[in-house]
Amino acid sequence: MHEYSDFRSDTVTRPTESMKKAMAEAVVGDDVLGDDPTVQKLEAMSAERMGKEAALYTPSGTMANSIAVKAWTRELEEVIVEARAHIYNMESTHMTFISRVTPRSLQSNRGAMDPEEIERNIRMPSVHIPRTSLICVENTHNNWSGAVVPMDNLKAIREIADKHELMIHFDGARVFNASTASGIPVKEYAAIGDSLMFCLSKGLSAPVGSVLVGPKEFIAYARRVRKVLGGGLRQVGVLAAPGIVALTEMVGRLKEDHERAKKLALSLHEFPGISLNPDAVQTNIIIFGFDHPTLSIPEFLAKMKERRVLALATTGGIRFVVHKDIDDEDIDRAISAFRNFLAQ
Ligand code: TLP
C-alpha cells in the first residue's frame, strides 16, 4: 500500500524502472548546439506520431504553450480562448507578459466552444481594437473534469479558422487521454491545430517535459524563443530518454486510469455534499462541487490528508486525478475516507 494516495495531479507520477534505466544509459550531447541524439530521437518520434513536420522538446507544458502563442502572434493582436482553459487561467498570464497580446475568453459546453460564437468574436483591426490571430483549444479539458472535446466541434472550429485565416494552437497536455477515451488517433487531433503541445510528464509518467509540434519554420522559430525563455538545456537527453519510454510504453495503460476514475466517481456521487455526474467523467480527472453543512473544502481536504488521501481544491470544487501511481487500494482507501467523513 502506498504511504499516501496522491490524487493531486497526474504530474505526481514517479518514473518507472525502465525510465530510470533509460536515463542512466542515455547517450547525450549538447542540445543547445543541436547534437543530443536522444533529444533528436524524441523530437523525431513526436513529429511522426503527431503527423507534423517537426517537434521541439520543452521543459514544461507552460513553456510550450507560451512559445506557441509567441510564435503565432504579434503585439496588438487577440487570442480566442475557452473561459476555463489552462492557458488562460493557470499559466500566469504569459499571453500578456511574454507575447503582449490579449486573450478573449468564450464560454463553452464542457470545453467545446460554439463555432458560431467564435466567428462572431473574430475582430478586424481598427484604431480601437486588436486583430484576432489565434484560437486555442484544449483536449482533454482539465478544468471541465477531463472532458473529451468532440471531434465534430474541433473540425467546425478548424473550418472557421481557415475561413478567417487564423491559426489554431492545440493544448494537448492530455491528448493521449483524449485519444484513449474516444478511439480517435492523436494524429487526427493534431491535424486540428497548426501546432500542438503534449505533456510527457502527466499521465505518461515521465519526470519532466513536454513537446511542441508543428511546421518546420514554426519549430525553428520556437527553438529560438525557447532559448530566450531559458529553456535551452544542455545534456538533456537524460530527461528526453524517459520521454521516449513514456511514448513507447505508457500510452496503452491510460485506459486503466480512466476505469479507476470512473469507479471512484460512481462511488463519490452518492455522498451528501458532493455534486458530481459520474457520466461526465470520461478520462482520469474528477472535479466535483463540495457544499457540506459542517465542512469547508480546506477542512475536508485536511481530514482526507489525515487518512493519507491527497487531493486539491480547484475552480468549481475539488479535483481528484487518477494516474499510474494510483492502484485499486488507493481507490478503496479514498472511498472509505469519504464514507468515514461524509456518510450520514
Ligand atoms: N496542469 C497542472 C496544473 O497546472 C494545474 C495539473 O496539475 O493539471 N495544459 C494543461 C491542460 C494542463 O493541465 C497543464 C498542467 C499544462 C498545460 C501545463 O503543463 P506544465 O505543468 O508542464 O507546465
Side-chain angles (χ1 to χ4, degrees):
M1 180 115 202
H2 297 126
E3 189 184 357
Y4 281 93
S5 300
D6 193 347
F7 293 90
R8 289 173 302 165
S9 180
D10 45 11
T11 59
V12 304
T13 42
R14 305 291 205 287
T16 61
E17 287 313 310
S18 105
M19 286 178 181
K20 289 182 201 166
K21 186 165 181 285
M23 290 173 88
E25 293 173 1
V27 182
V28 295
D30 186 323
D31 186 48
V32 175
L33 300 181
D35 55 26
D36 187 306
T38 308
V39 176
Q40 283 168 356
K41 183 173 169 192
L42 172 63
E43 291 179 343
M45 277 176 69
S46 301
E48 206 280 319
R49 190 85 169 243
M50 295 293 166
K52 295 287 192 209
E53 282 176 7
L56 180 74
Y57 181 62
T58 61
S60 68
T62 301
M63 187 184 282
N65 281 341
S66 314
I67 292 171
V69 174
K70 181 69 191 158
W72 289 132
T73 62
R74 293 177 59 193
E75 290 177 9
L76 308 182
E77 291 183 348
E78 191 164 75
V79 179
I80 292 181
V81 293
E82 193 276 336
R84 293 195 192 181
H86 195 278
I87 202 165
Y88 176 50
N89 292 283
M90 296 161 105
E91 299 186 13
S92 294
T93 67
H94 62 68
M95 285 193 192
T96 48
F97 184 62
I98 297 172
S99 300
R100 295 158 64 95
V101 293
T102 43
R104 186 169 184 83
S105 70
L106 303 185
Q107 298 299 322
S108 75
N109 176 16
R110 296 182 43 76
M113 290 180 281
D114 175 359
E116 286 175 14
E117 200 189 343
I118 292 183
E119 191 160 30
R120 284 196 298 276
N121 279 276
I122 294 171
R123 307 213 284 172
M124 294 304 142
S126 81
V127 74
H128 301 289
I129 55 175
R131 184 177 83 93
T132 308
S133 55
L134 178 67
I135 302 170
C136 293
V137 297
E138 179 178 325
N139 196 15
T140 65
H141 200 298
N142 184 346
N143 284 325
W144 281 103
S145 201
V148 180
V149 179
M151 187 48 102
D152 287 357
N153 174 261
L154 294 168
K155 283 190 173 155
I157 295 175
R158 181 70 257 178
E159 273 179 31
I160 299 291
D162 288 341
K163 183 170 156 197
H164 295 274
E165 297 183 356
L166 307 183
M167 294 295 165
I168 294 183
H169 173 62
F170 192 126
D171 180 341
R174 297 184 180 82
V175 71
F176 287 100
N177 293 85
S179 169
T180 299
S182 66
I184 296 171
V186 283
K187 257 187 200 161
E188 284 186 37
Y189 286 121
I192 297 296
D194 296 281
S195 58
L196 175 140
M197 177 281 282
F198 67 91
C199 292
L200 300 161
S201 60
K202 303 208 163 49
L204 300 185
S205 309
V208 176
S210 295
V211 183
L212 181 62
V213 295
K216 253 191 197 138
E217 254 180 58
F218 162 85
I219 291 295
Y221 184 73
R223 194 174 292 281
R224 294 178 59 198
V225 178
R226 183 187 69 175
K227 183 68 171 67
V228 170
L229 297 179
L233 305 175
R234 302 294 178 172
Q235 283 71 49
V236 70
V238 289
L239 298 178
I244 292 172
V245 177
L247 278 181
T248 48
E249 293 180 11
M250 303 304 285
V251 174
R253 57 155 308 289
L254 291 174
K255 59 179 181 307
E256 284 178 40
D257 299 342
H258 299 182
E259 283 160 14
R260 290 199 174 95
K262 186 62 109 183
K263 180 180 168 195
L264 184 57
L266 284 167
S267 304
L268 299 195
H269 85 285
E270 290 177 346
F271 290 112
I274 287 184
S275 36
L276 170 66
N277 172 7
D279 292 339
V281 175
Q282 295 174 280
T283 59
N284 67 327
I285 300 180
I286 307 169
I287 294 179
F288 55 86
F290 187 80
D291 184 16
H292 193 264
T294 57
L295 287 174
S296 68
I297 289 179
E299 284 165 348
F300 175 67
L301 291 177
K303 282 194 170 298
M304 294 296 275
K305 191 172 178 185
E306 283 167 23
R307 289 281 174 134
R308 298 187 175 270
V309 175
L310 305 179
L312 290 178
T314 188
T315 330
I318 294 177
R319 185 179 79 152
F320 274 66
V321 185
V322 178
H323 50 77
K324 166 185 78 65
D325 296 335
I326 291 291
D327 60 19
D328 291 333
E329 285 184 339
D330 294 304
I331 299 289
D332 291 343
R333 182 195 254 167
I335 294 170
S336 98
F338 272 90
R339 191 169 296 124
N340 191 69
F341 297 122
L342 299 182
Q344 282 167 328

